[in-house]
Every structure is written in structure tokens, then in C-alpha cells.
Amino acid sequence: MFLTQEEQKMLDGKYGKGTQLAMKIQVALGEVFNAERMAPVSRTHVALSNQEADLWFVEKMVDAGAKCKVSPTVNPGFNLEYFQCITTISKEDEEMIKRTRQAYKEVGATLTFDCTPYLEKNIPRFGEITAYSESSATPFINSVYGARTNRESAQSALCAAITGRTPLYGFLLDENRAGQVLVDVQANIKNDFDYQLLGYAVPKKLKFKTPVFVNLPTDPSPAALMNLGAQLNTAGNVPMYHIVGVTPEAPTVEAAFMGKDPERVITITKQDLEAVHDEITDPGGPIDFALFGCPHFNIDQVAQVARLVEGRKLKVQLWIMTSSLTKELAKRMGYLETIQQAGGDIVDDTCMDQPCWEFLYGKKGVTDSPKCAYYTKRRNMQFVIRKIEECIDAAMRGEI
Ligand code: F3S
């Protein structure tokens, strides 16, 4: 693999052991994927998980003196101070989140603790080469902005942040961005929730292929596109898709396929969406809570919940997870107060796949997110999955 003089110096340890270790990992990754050279990155996002392996890696980098050249935004762990007020956090979990925060601070990350940085703090331009981890982020960068990223791990994205480079392979190259399978959507996709089901249904019919969607609306909301990407990468592995008329590289079907024929054509029907919904949701009945924001809600989604609960009283607890920036905006706009008056709350810096939710283990909730339901199975949480309006009605009645 060709390295510039500067990259060779990094590999030789001229910039310290941390940078050397990151470059070593990236050269190995590049060789695995036959990358000819490295490319500079201008943006990065690290999907930290606040779990042992994640902490081990970032502390190893910090101990080796690594500092990020391209400061990454980072995923949420949990908001320790918030949860200490409402539940008991074990000493081990407290220690883990404190060390995680400290390590990412020391390595030079931008501590957004948010899983939708592409809507707020970390927005690329068309064609920009970047390194993003996080399941909804990668497809959003490639398919909505037309910027370029591979589906990075937290570790490879951190290495890119440290060296300012990434091996040039995969979705960074023109020829790998072409669509492969035509997805003819013969279901009526009419709201953001339908994109959740569509994203979960497509990988049932195709794995590891780049879909080109036709017959989808050409004015999807940011939340719809966020939902689609999150679910495509919960049920499957889809770093990029094309929606004809939406994806910058797909003004036409021909452009999306770069002039080639599709390898296959698949159809998604109303029955496919219903089948996937039946498969992923737990059955209805009494519920204990409602949980939204997987991925983190944007301000429009927070506003929607505020409108739905205004002047009413929730029968069960309700939380919305979002970024600290959106929570601040919600406070300024009165949405936070409205939601709190109804008996719910907004929590920032927090992911649902964290031990802070232990007080809900063994209980049943409602959510609009298949990803939320999927990840929490291992934590023995049950979820009935419905669109937001139905979840709120259920939370008012305490059952669904
Ligand atoms: Fe975000 Fe955690 Fe869900 S990072 S997408 S809240 S699993």
C-alpha cells in the first residue's frame, strides 16, 4: 500500500506511539481491502458504546499519547447525573461511564454524546471523504448528503480521527457506490414510521447489496431517512442506498446504477411490512413505560410528542432520548415544560442500550423504533412497536 512521507512517518512512530498504533491498524485494514493508498478525512464520528472493549481501546490510545487530528463527535453512553436522581446506578457502571467520558475527552473528541450528529454538529458536504461509525449515520452520510464513508467500527473511526487518514476502499470509491438491486416499493409509504418498517423489511430479501428504491416519495423528512438507515443496519448491513430523486447521486434510475443493469429486482408490498411488524413487536397488553429516541429524536419529533401530550396526563412514564443541543432547544421552545407537565421527560446524552435502564428490565414498553426493541431483548425489556401517535395514546391509557 502506498504511503506518503507523512503517513510513513506516522507509521514509523515519529509522531508518538498512539498515532503509530492507529496508523498500523489502518494499514492492516487497507491491506485487507486492497486499498492502494490512504485518503485524508475531514470529519469523523465514533460510535462509542461505554462497554468494556470500547473503553479498553480508547484508554490504550490515550495511554499511548494519541490525540485526534480530526476531532470526532461521539455516541451517547448515559447521563450519569440524570439517572442518579431517578434510580440506583452501581459503582461499576458509574466508574465505566466516568472513565469513558474522561478517555474520550483526553483523546480529543467533541463530546456531543449523540447518535444523530449528521443533523446538528457534524454535517458534511457533497463528495467529502469522512469516517463515520453508527448504523444510521453511515447511510445518511452516503445516501442523503452524497458525502463518503465506509461503515466504520468505533475503533477504525477513532484511528481515522487520530491520523486524519482512512484507507481508500469501499464506498469511498466511485465504482463501489453504484446501486446493485432495484427495490420496487409497492406499499404506501406515508409517514416516518413506515420507513422504520421498510428499513427492517428490505434486508430480509437482500443482504450486503446496495438498494435503489423506486416508487418512494421524493420529499421524505429527515426523521424518515434517519429511521430508514437505522433499521437497514439493524436488520442488515447497508452502508449506502439510493432513493431516486433524493440521493444526490441518483437523479435517475440509470444514474443510480451507473448505467449497468440491476442484479435483481425485488418488490416490497404492504404484506411484507405487516409481516415484519408482526415479527418484531411484542404483543399488546398493559404497559409500564414509553421510550423514544433510538436514534435520537430531532426537534420536529420532540415537537410532535409535545403537541400530542399537551394538556393531558400520562398514565406511565415516558422518556425521549435526544442530544443536549436538541434538549436545550426543546427547553427554549417550551416543549420540555409541556412534556414534563404531562408526566414525561427528555433525557440527553443517553442511549437505550445502557445499564441506566435496569429499572425497566422485565417490563413492557411502547416505542416507535424496531432498533430499540431489537437491542433491548438482551436486557429483557419488551416493546410493543407502533407509530408515535399510537404510542402516546397507549401511554395515556397504560395499555395497548
Ligand atoms: Fe442511538 Fe443507542 Fe439507539 S446509539 S440509535 S439510542 S442504540
Side-chain angles (χ1 to χ4, degrees):
M1 182 176 181
F2 171 79
L3 295 181
T4 62
Q5 283 183 352
E6 184 71 359
E7 289 156 2
Q8 190 62 51
K9 277 190 199 167
M10 291 188 214
L11 189 61
D12 292 343
K14 296 266 177 351
Y15 296 103
K17 281 201 163 52
T19 303
Q20 181 181 34
L21 182 54
M23 185 51 91
K24 256 188 191 172
I25 291 167
Q26 291 192 293
V27 168
L29 197 58
E31 285 173 353
V32 166
F33 287 101
N34 291 323
E36 287 179 8
R37 63 179 176 86
M38 295 282 173
V41 289
S42 46
R43 294 177 182 281
T44 57
H45 175 79
V46 174
L48 70 77
S49 64
N50 183 42
Q51 290 167 5
E52 280 173 28
D54 172 48
L55 183 59
W56 175 84
F57 190 81
V58 64
E59 285 189 338
K60 191 176 175 70
M61 287 298 181
V62 168
D63 291 346
K67 275 278 176 205
C68 292
K69 269 198 171 61
V70 180
S71 179
T73 45
V74 291
N75 257 31
F78 69 90
N79 185 331
L80 176 65
E81 293 71 17
Y82 179 90
F83 283 93
Q84 279 177 328
C85 292
I86 64 169
T87 185
T88 305
I89 299 293
S90 73
K91 276 280 154 234
E92 295 75 41
D93 292 335
E94 179 179 343
E95 176 79 356
M96 178 79 82
I97 188 68
K98 282 184 171 169
R99 280 172 57 193
T100 297
R101 285 177 183 174
Q102 184 60 24
Y104 277 97
K105 187 175 164 191
E106 282 184 41
V107 85
T110 303
L111 303 181
T112 48
F113 299 130
D114 168 28
C115 50
T116 55
Y118 48 84
L119 295 178
E120 283 174 350
K121 168 68 187 75
N122 209 350
I123 303 172
R125 62 182 158 69
F126 181 80
E128 201 171 333
I129 291 186
T130 67
Y132 280 66
S133 50
E134 174 50 37
S135 55
S136 74
T138 304
F140 209 98
I141 298 304
N142 282 315
S143 314
V144 181
Y145 292 128
R148 299 184 175 203
T149 180
N150 282 311
R151 193 175 176 211
E152 303 284 354
S153 66
Q155 290 70 38
S156 63
L158 182 58
C159 289
I162 291 167
T163 63
R165 304 287 197 282
T166 190
L168 192 64
Y169 72 97
F171 287 88
L172 307 185
L173 298 170
D174 289 348
E175 61 269 29
N176 297 328
R177 298 175 67 80
Q180 293 169 306
V181 173
L182 187 81
V183 181
D184 183 7
V185 182
Q186 289 298 327
N188 185 12
I189 303 294
K190 49 195 180 313
N191 55 47
D192 295 347
F193 181 68
D194 290 336
Y195 285 84
Q196 307 265 35
L197 300 180
L198 178 66
Y200 214 93
V202 168
K204 301 266 169 208
K205 299 197 178 190
L206 66 91
K207 297 256 185 221
F208 311 120
K209 296 285 179 186
T210 302
V212 176
F213 292 99
V214 291
N215 294 322
L216 272 185
T218 50
D219 58 349
S221 71
L225 296 166
M226 187 170 96
N227 291 346
L228 178 64
Q231 308 313 334
L232 283 169
N233 287 295
T234 299
N237 179 8
V238 182
M240 180 168 184
Y241 58 80
H242 296 265
I243 299 177
V244 175
V246 173
T247 300
E249 288 151 273
T252 62
V253 175
E254 294 69 32
F257 284 102
M258 291 189 188
K260 296 195 190 112
D261 290 332
E263 293 171 19
R264 275 169 63 201
V265 177
I266 64 168
T267 304
I268 298 288
T269 62
K270 184 168 172 263
Q271 289 71 28
D272 290 319
L273 301 190
E274 285 169 356
V276 103
H277 187 228
D278 288 348
E279 179 195 323
I280 56 180
T281 186
D282 279 305
I287 55 161
D288 305 295
F289 65 97
L291 187 56
F292 300 107
C294 175
H296 276 177
F297 263 19
N298 65 30
I299 192 66
D300 296 336
Q301 293 169 297
V302 174
Q304 184 186 0
V305 172
R307 276 194 301 274
L308 289 166
V309 301
E310 190 163 16
R312 304 168 78 190
K313 274 283 170 215
L314 292 155
K315 195 150 186 187
V316 299
Q317 292 167 296
L318 175 152
W319 289 273
I320 297 173
M321 296 174 292
T322 191
S323 69
S324 50
L325 294 172
T326 298
K327 182 170 180 182
E328 176 59 30
L329 198 52
K331 191 172 157 194
R332 291 181 189 183
M333 297 177 79
Y335 301 144
L336 176 61
E337 197 182 348
T338 301
I339 291 166
Q340 286 175 337
Q341 278 172 353
D345 209 355
I346 300 177
V347 54
D348 54 353
D349 297 351
T350 300
C351 164
M352 37 60 52
D353 191 22
Q354 292 287 319
C356 58
W357 299 109
E358 193 174 345
F359 63 104
L360 299 179
Y361 293 1
K363 297 190 173 175
K364 182 181 276 192
V366 280
T367 184
D368 66 324
S369 167
K371 182 176 181 183
C372 179
Y374 176 86
Y375 276 102
T376 46
K377 283 275 173 272
R378 72 190 182 102
R379 297 185 186 274
N380 191 27
M381 290 162 79
Q382 293 174 45
F383 277 102
V384 181
I385 303 169
R386 294 287 190 274
K387 62 183 178 187
I388 293 172
E389 296 86 332
E390 290 176 44
C391 289
I392 297 295
D393 279 346
M396 292 292 168
R397 290 196 314 272
E399 66 175 339
I400 188 159

